[in-house]
Amino acid sequence: MQNIGYNPIEMSAVAHSAPPKLPLVAIVGNPNVGKSVLFNKLTGRYVTVSNYPGTTVEVTKGVATVYRVKFNLVDTPGMYSMSPITEEERVSRRLLIEDRPDLVLHVVDAKNLDRMLPLTLQLIEAGFKTVLVLNMMDEATHAGVHVDALHLSNVLGIPVVPTACLHGHGMESLKDIVHGSLGSR
Ligand SMILES: Nc1nc2c(ncn2[C@@H]2O[C@H](COP(=O)(O)OP(=O)(O)O)[C@@H](O)[C@H]2O)c(=O)[nH]1
Ligand SMILES: [Mg+2]
């Protein structure tokens, strides 16, 4: 039989299957910690902003690519805890629970780490694969705040990345971790 170089049965199966679903990564954290700056750094400007269904709360979604791994990225409204008080917090909680992201980037202000760590613990406890993004490290350093990221990572059992997203600092380390985490889903 002539070798035509491909199996027509396999080819048609590929042609008719739905495109694979992209992994979902969610950025969460208190208001004003740099979530949207990080979102923009990772996605560029191809984003859609829409109201979360049934609410007036805006949620920004985009597609990001890190070292050829493509994923959906969502920038959630500010939240202080998984027990919601505000409508923004309710939306963020619903989004986490209903969309079950493959990875959660918890962005915190490194200057106010103690106030923000409870949410990290709640996310871990709720079973989310979580990365702690210690943002605003430039300001923390300036204010004399030192954070031992390695120790924190060992204690929490999750990756911890110091960043200053506004200045692009720490982005490569964060991308390495996102890439590694999505690769081993
Ligand atoms: N100094 C400094 N400012 C930052 C950094 N990341 C974000 N910001 C600033 O913090 C403010 C809040 O950022 P934004 O991304 O809107 O926070 P969000 O509310 O968490 O989305 C903005 O003025 C940013 O320019 C950072 O790493 N260092
Ligand atoms: Mg924002």
Side-chain angles (χ1 to χ4, degrees):
M1 196 180 96
Q2 191 192 357
N3 183 357
I4 55 173
Y6 64 89
N7 177 337
I9 297 169
E10 275 178 23
M11 288 293 285
S12 75
V14 170
H16 288 110
S17 61
K21 219 174 137 229
L22 293 182
L24 176 66
V25 177
I27 298 176
V28 306
N30 286 21
N32 283 316
V33 293
K35 296 184 301 297
S36 299
V37 170
L38 174 60
F39 178 88
N40 289 332
K41 290 273 179 211
L42 290 174
T43 56
R45 54 205 167 90
Y46 301 102
V47 300
T48 56
V49 180
S50 56
N51 283 347
Y52 196 77
T55 73
T56 55
V57 179
E58 281 184 350
V59 173
T60 313
K61 289 182 177 159
V63 175
T65 308
V66 168
Y67 309 136
R68 297 200 188 155
V69 172
K70 214 171 171 187
F71 55 91
N72 287 313
L73 188 65
V74 57
D75 184 15
T76 66
M79 72 189 300
Y80 292 94
S81 111
M82 286 288 278
S83 310
I85 295 171
T86 64
E87 191 181 22
E88 282 79 6
E89 288 182 304
R90 260 196 300 280
V91 164
S92 294
R93 182 176 190 275
R94 252 181 73 193
L95 204 144
L96 285 172
I97 287 169
E98 289 175 11
D99 295 353
R100 281 311 294 185
D102 299 284
L103 186 65
V104 174
L105 304 180
H106 181 205
V107 184
V108 298
D109 176 351
K111 300 189 301 295
N112 297 305
L113 187 56
D114 51 342
R115 279 202 276 126
M116 302 188 177
L117 274 180
L119 179 57
T120 319
L121 296 176
Q122 290 171 20
L123 291 165
I124 296 170
E125 208 165 279
F128 292 106
K129 195 169 180 176
T130 306
V131 174
L132 181 59
V133 182
L134 287 178
N135 194 35
M136 310 245 181
M137 278 308 292
D138 54 329
E139 290 188 353
T141 305
H142 201 246
V145 176
H146 175 74
V147 184
D148 187 341
L150 191 60
H151 181 63
L152 198 53
S153 172
N154 287 333
V155 170
L156 293 172
I158 61 168
V160 176
V161 201
T163 63
C165 294
L166 188 61
H167 308 294
H169 298 162
M171 288 300 110
E172 292 309 311
S173 307
L174 181 58
K175 284 178 183 176
D176 283 345
I177 286 167
V178 169
H179 183 263
S181 303
L182 293 179
S184 61
R185 276 188 309 148

